[in-house]
Amino acid sequence: MAAPAPTSRTREKPTGDEEATADLKLGEFQNVPTLTLSEARLLINAVMDHRKQQRKVEETETLIKTQDYLDVFARFKQKENIEAVERMLTSKTELELFERSQLGSLCCESAEEAKTLIPSLASKISDGDLQELLDDITKLRNFVE
């Protein structure tokens, strides 16, 4: 008995060159600018506000779910705090763009936690410098936002 014809197109095999481990390998995304969850929330909300003013709003289920996700997980809600975190992270030129956005999204409490979640940080920044950065980021968090 012959196998049935495929019902969809074949899926491309992953290239396997992307991994966020001790050696950060992001393939074609290596030097692509990235956003923290807070920046993504700010950007999407600004676009949606603009579209509402233009009366060109099409809220899809995916967009609504994305906004709900970002409302829950974005650590910073106020634009001033988001910009301040971005300035702090941008000053750490030894870090990759991906690592900076991860630090701004995860808001780790300790250097050990950050290096566990983002293993590529281990060889790029000392625990003391990383802890200082994390403490500065934490000061900007307003838990009542």
Side-chain angles (χ1 to χ4, degrees), residues 4 11 13 37 45-47 49 60 68 78 89 103-104 120 124:
R11 189 175 199 190
K13 299 246 187 248
L37 295 177
N45 287 343
V47 168
D49 288 345
T60 64
D68 290 345
Q78 297 173 346
L89 293 170
L103 286 170
S120 58
K124 295 184 180 175

Side-chain angles (χ1 to χ4, degrees), residues 120-133:
S120 58
L121 292 175
S123 62
K124 295 184 180 175
I125 187 168
S126 71
D127 285 354
D129 289 344
L130 181 55
Q131 189 62 54
E132 183 179 335
L133 174 64

Side-chain angles (χ1 to χ4, degrees), residues 73-88:
F73 292 105
R75 302 290 191 200
F76 304 95
K77 310 287 194 238
Q78 297 173 346
K79 183 178 180 182
E80 299 79 25
N81 291 350
I82 295 168
E83 291 170 346
V85 169
E86 176 60 22
R87 281 192 301 276
M88 279 186 236

Side-chain angles (χ1 to χ4, degrees), residues 39-116:
E39 291 170 319
R41 179 182 176 274
L42 184 68
L43 181 65
I44 289 174
N45 287 343
V47 168
M48 292 308 296
D49 288 345
H50 178 73
R51 287 182 180 174
K52 285 177 184 173
Q53 291 173 357
Q54 304 296 320
R55 296 194 172 111
K56 297 179 181 178
V57 178
E58 184 181 331
E59 290 189 344
T60 64
E61 182 182 351
T62 302
L63 177 61
I64 292 167
K65 286 183 177 184
T66 300
Q67 287 178 306
D68 290 345
Y69 177 87
L70 292 172
D71 285 342
V72 171
F73 292 105
R75 302 290 191 200
F76 304 95
K77 310 287 194 238
Q78 297 173 346
K79 183 178 180 182
E80 299 79 25
N81 291 350
I82 295 168
E83 291 170 346
V85 169
E86 176 60 22
R87 281 192 301 276
M88 279 186 236
L89 293 170
T90 302
S91 72
K92 297 297 181 184
T93 56
E94 68 271 25
L95 302 180
E96 297 286 338
L97 299 172
F98 172 80
E99 294 163 332
R100 294 180 207 167
S101 66
Q102 291 300 300
L103 286 170
S105 290
L106 296 171
C107 293
C108 301
E109 292 183 17
S110 69
E112 179 184 1
E113 178 185 14
K115 288 183 176 184
T116 299

